[in-house]
């Protein structure tokens, strides 16, 4: 049986979850119920991390913020911005030209509507670790693989002599 030439490493995509018991944070060693767990793949990896560390960009980055940055870059092409400016100008002209509704109608609408605070978008729970922290998470898997490799190589060598030479 030959061992693989590279160790099986976790994927750098973690989901934020809440655990039943508190554990020591990977960064600051404070007790926290929040943990990071690999999304998919074998082997799986998990560790406790404080919620405060998830907002620090030197530790991890939310996958949603990466997607939104890419989406904003795609949306701000020069041609699209010119078309968007023309469309907003047309809508403002058409809305200004409409007649104002009667005051009785607006009062009836205001009494029926309940002021609901705007819902904030749900924060993403998937994160990508910074390369240095991800290496610290990969290191135990690499060490375990190296130990398995050493053990298999030692089996191929003859044993050392045990007795005194005569």
């Amino acid at each position: 049986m030959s061992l693989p030439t590279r160790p099986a490493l976790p994927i750098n995509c973690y989901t934020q979850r809440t655990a039943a018991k508190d554990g020591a944070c990977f960064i600051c060693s404070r007790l926290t119920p929040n943990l990071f767990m690999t999304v998919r793949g074998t082997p799986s990896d998990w560790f406790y991390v404080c919620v405060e560390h998830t907002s620090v960009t030197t530790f991890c980055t939310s996958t949603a913020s990466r997607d939104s940055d890419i989406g904003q870059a795609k949306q701000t092409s020069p041609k699209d911005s010119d078309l968007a400016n023309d469309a907003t100008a047309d809508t403002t002209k058409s809305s200004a030209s409409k007649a104002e509704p009667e005051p009785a109608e607006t009062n009836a609408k205001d009494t029926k509507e309940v002021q609901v605070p705007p819902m904030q978008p749900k924060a993403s729970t998937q994160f990508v670790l910074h390369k240095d922290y991800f290496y610290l998470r990969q290191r135990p898997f690499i060490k375990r693989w190296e130990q398995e490799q050493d053990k298999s190589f030692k089996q191929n060598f003859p044993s050392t002599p045990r007795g005194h030479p005569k």
Side-chain angles (χ1 to χ4, degrees), residues 53-150:
H53 298 305
T54 60
S55 62
V56 179
T57 57
T58 57
F59 173 65
C60 66
T61 306
S62 172
T63 56
S65 65
R66 283 183 165 194
D67 295 341
S68 65
D69 292 343
I70 293 169
Q72 289 175 356
K74 288 180 181 178
Q75 291 176 356
T76 58
S77 68
K79 292 179 183 178
D80 292 342
S81 62
D82 292 338
L83 293 175
N85 290 339
D86 293 340
T88 54
D90 292 340
T91 56
T92 55
K93 289 177 185 176
S94 64
S95 63
S97 65
K98 290 183 181 178
E100 290 292 322
E102 295 179 9
E105 290 177 5
T106 57
N107 290 339
K109 290 180 182 178
D110 290 340
T111 57
K112 292 179 183 177
E113 293 179 14
V114 177
Q115 293 293 334
V116 179
M119 292 185 61
Q120 295 182 1
K122 188 176 180 182
S124 173
T125 57
Q126 290 190 352
F127 296 91
V128 175
L129 296 182
H130 186 268
K131 66 180 180 179
D132 295 333
Y133 289 104
F134 186 58
Y135 174 75
L136 292 175
R137 295 308 308 164
Q138 287 180 331
R139 189 67 191 143
F141 293 95
I142 295 170
K143 277 188 167 184
R144 193 174 312 125
W145 179 78
E146 288 173 346
Q147 290 172 350
E148 291 172 3
Q149 289 289 316
D150 290 345

